Amino acid sequence: MKHEKVTFPHMGVSYIPVKVLLESLGLSCVVPPVNNPRTLEKSLVQAPEFMCFPYKLILGNLLYGLDHGAQTIVFGGSRGPCRQEYYNDVLQAALRDMGYSFDYVNLNLSKLWTRENYEAARRAWGVNLRQVLKSLILTVDVLFAVEALYECARRKRCRACDGSAVDVILQHYTDAVGRARGYAAVKGLTRQARRDVQGLPEKDAKDAADLLRVAIVGEIFVTSDAYANLNIERKLGRLGVDITTYMGAAAWVREHLLRKLMPFQKRELAQELAREFWGVDDIGGHGVQTVGNSVLSSRRGFDGIIHLYPLTCMPEIAAQSAFGAIEERYGVPIMTLVVDEMTGEAGFDTRLEAFVDMLASRRRYWATARERGEDPSKRQI
Amino acid sequence: MADFFLGADVGSVSTNVVALDDQKQLCAKVYLRTGGRPLAALIDGVRAIQKTIGPSARVAGMGATGSGRLLAGCLLGADVVKNEITAHAAAALTTEPSVGTILEIGGQDSKIIFLRQGTVVDFAMNTVCAAGTGSFLDRQAARLNVPIEKFGQYALLSRQPVRIAGRCAVFAESDMVHKQQMGHTLPDIVRGLCEAIVRNYINNLAKGKKIEPAVVFQGGVAANAGIVEEFKRQLGCDVVVPRHYDVMGALGSALLAYEVMERKAGGQATSFVGFDRLHRDYDARSVECDDCVNACEVIELRADGGLVSCWGDRCGKWSAVLAKGQEPSLFARTERDQGSRGEGLKLGAQRAEKD
């Protein structure tokens, strides 16, 4: 087995399982710091202006990795009519034009179970099937443990007496994971952090019943990356909102890895639900899922839905056009927020705060609707 | 001695302060240009209010709103710090209880608020760019050499408005230059611009949602008669411009403060700092925290050299240290670093007005 250093880009907290995967294959990783303003310093100069924000962050991560001794890049590309399909080739060409030389391993994330992926890993690092399978199992285990931790944090932030305590624990966890090596250490830290979060004291149960429930839908990268979405989960959580998200690495693996193992293939729930408003199966990226998840959240009785996407994201712009009809049919407000490289958070905060205020006042309005002779089940905007 | 309730709206373009008496009647208002210095504008505004209501007036509550509401809240000790949507709705409901739709065009953002039975049920704000807002009008007025106060009157003189692209400020500007060179008159161009702004507003914000009467138009741009006329024409209904249209945000935040103080049990005192403490020397600046990769820009607010408040730390640890009454080590640390860098980073005041 060759001994070389490997780097890979970030998407939210997916770096934790990816690190475990590569380390359990016997490789050493150069993990770029989680996305932050400095990630963009070099990449903004190089990336075309109208490229999407995720591309600029990914390029920044890879530049960091190569500048810090990595010889190989691992990138997860996917197939589907969105620009991300080309990022694989574009990133390679862009980095080589900048004068870097490196090996490039592309994993096809749309079809994780393909021989193609195994062959790519075998050619690059001389690993055998047994090693790959073992590492994959450990990785998936860590992936779901990390997901459970962050799910627990989302649940706790709005219920805890002191919501900021959750983020103090997560910050310590992030620091510790950065130093930890291998499956056992990472898994142990994740479990411990989850226990710590769970142990935080909560407010009265009575208050919990009054919590506003908001679903976050939209493009997978910005909904799952805390830097890209300006920490929306933390902000809403501290405003006392119970958040549900649908997109992320764990959901992806469940959809593209685990479900493919099932003997019967069923259509994804979000795709099924989107058919009420859209007669198409795919418009690229996660456009259909955005529509479907909005319908799902409306039916589940959420107070509101927040839709996030990076500026110029075509599939999400198309999905947005369905919102008028969804709002009219179900009476659940949907607010779209577009993110890009801005760090002036005032406008973003104002919109979130105003949205939450509005949801609270709508709740009060419908709570007294019967007295005015209005039927709450037929509510409309 | 009567009690007064203050409201401050620190926006990107204007800073407004109002005082209400205990009957919720407006008895003093100030409209100032923020001019990139929200701290100074805010203090000037509050001092001007003090002059009107008398030096011995007792303040019973204080509210802050606008993009600089955090800064205003810390500086003045606000009892309630609320976003502009909530504040504008509160103000509109008091002046026009049957309001169904609020149109608001401010310095750098525009909003539409839908209400039913006195409840906000939906709203929209402009997304990424500031085309079609007050700043844009300001700039075009300066370019055409028309005082912004007279902009609306010019528009009303027009007989044949020209067509101008309103979607993007850059497109609109090149359209205007072209129409000027073609020989169109100034009133026709100004009217065309008003038309474009209203068209753009209805398209981008209302997005086909039902605009119910009564329609109230507020914010600084409501002073522009050309825009008001254009809204009436394009919406096909009457548009009410309230008497204090220009300070509705501040008015709303004062009303919210009134409600908050009313709800407070046992007549708790306001957290307003008091007029005499405004004469202190204020200084805000930002410091980049290096403790983790987030690299937060933490703002510190000092009065006469003593630390009053800090914010902007995502993890909340520096704010927590200050809440315990200790001086966060971050600022001491950076003072030392900045000694070698020369002049300290005075970003605070600039950041507060960024939207």
Side-chain angles (χ1 to χ4, degrees), chain A residues 33-34 36-38 171 231 234 238 327 335 345-347 350-351 353-355 357-358 361-362 365 372 381, chain B residues 69 82-86 116-117 119-123 125-126 209 288 290 292-295 314-315 354-355:
Chain A
V34 290
N36 65 76
R38 284 169 206 161
Q171 186 62 52
N231 273 301
R234 186 183 294 185
R238 295 218 191 140
E327 283 182 320
M335 176 171 74
E345 299 182 21
T350 299
R351 284 161 179 81
E353 205 186 300
F355 190 66
D357 269 2
M358 179 190 82
S361 74
R362 281 171 62 95
Y365 177 82
R372 288 190 308 271
I381 300 275
Chain B
R69 60 183 178 279
K82 271 284 177 197
N83 60 79
E84 302 91 295
I85 303 269
T86 312
R116 300 286 176 271
Q117 315 272 353
T119 310
V120 178
V121 290
D122 201 5
F123 74 90
M125 277 176 92
N126 59 334
K209 286 174 186 158
E288 199 171 279
D290 269 334
C292 79
V293 294
N294 280 336
R314 290 185 178 83
C315 64
K354 209 171 15 175
D355 199 320

Side-chain angles (χ1 to χ4, degrees), chain A residues 364-378:
Chain A
R364 284 195 298 274
Y365 177 82
W366 288 109
T368 58
R370 270 183 219 288
E371 293 161 25
R372 288 190 308 271
E374 285 183 68
D375 182 1
S377 66
K378 293 202 181 101

Side-chain angles (χ1 to χ4, degrees), chain B residues 33 44 56-57 59 78 132 145 200 220-221:
Chain B
R33 291 258 161 178
D44 288 350
S56 58
V59 173
N145 226 344
N200 186 44
V221 176

Side-chain angles (χ1 to χ4, degrees), chain B residues 319-339:
Chain B
S319 325
V321 170
L322 186 69
K324 283 184 202 146
Q326 293 154 9
E327 177 111 349
S329 57
L330 172 70
F331 303 131
R333 207 160 71 198
T334 40
E335 256 157 36
R336 200 177 53 231
D337 293 350
Q338 280 169 5

Side-chain angles (χ1 to χ4, degrees), chain A residues 89-240:
Chain A
D89 301 319
V90 176
L91 282 167
Q92 277 192 65
L95 289 166
R96 291 198 207 282
D97 278 354
M98 282 179 237
Y100 289 98
S101 56
F102 49 86
D103 290 329
Y104 194 92
V105 179
N106 179 43
L107 301 177
N108 180 353
L109 293 185
S110 302
K111 294 182 181 140
L112 279 168
W113 284 130
T114 49
R115 194 168 179 84
E116 178 196 344
N117 282 343
Y118 167 61
E119 287 295 335
R122 195 181 57 83
R123 267 198 313 275
W125 306 305
V127 289
N128 62 37
L129 189 60
R130 212 178 128 259
Q131 277 175 306
V132 171
L133 283 177
K134 191 182 156 213
S135 313
L136 264 182
I137 292 169
L138 300 182
T139 307
V140 172
D141 186 42
V142 168
L143 175 72
F144 288 129
V146 172
E147 190 208 16
L149 165 64
Y150 280 83
E151 183 55 45
C152 181
R154 272 194 284 278
R155 202 193 156 278
K156 200 72 171 189
R157 247 186 228 113
C158 54
R159 291 180 174 84
C161 303
D162 175 15
S164 65
V166 174
D167 295 301
V168 173
I169 295 173
L170 290 183
Q171 186 62 52
H172 284 307
Y173 168 71
T174 310
D175 294 344
V177 159
R179 288 188 300 269
R181 293 277 170 274
Y183 166 75
V186 172
K187 182 76 194 282
L189 283 169
T190 312
R191 269 195 180 146
Q192 184 56 47
R194 190 172 164 206
R195 270 198 295 270
D196 291 346
V197 172
Q198 269 168 342
L200 292 172
E202 291 192 6
K203 288 182 276 201
D204 287 347
K206 193 177 73 58
D207 296 340
D210 294 337
L211 288 174
L212 291 168
R213 289 167 66 225
V214 169
I216 297 178
V217 301
E219 195 271 334
I220 184 167
F221 192 101
V222 298
T223 49
S224 57
D225 195 279
Y227 176 70
N229 62 36
L230 299 144
N231 273 301
I232 190 168
E233 289 185 10
R234 186 183 294 185
K235 287 181 172 153
L236 285 174
R238 295 218 191 140
L239 287 172

Side-chain angles (χ1 to χ4, degrees), chain A residues 306-328:
Chain A
I306 294 180
H307 174 223
L308 286 174
Y309 69 84
L311 191 67
T312 73
C313 178
M314 184 278 287
E316 299 298 328
I317 292 169
Q320 207 182 337
S321 62
F323 289 164
I326 300 176
E327 283 182 320
E328 203 169 312

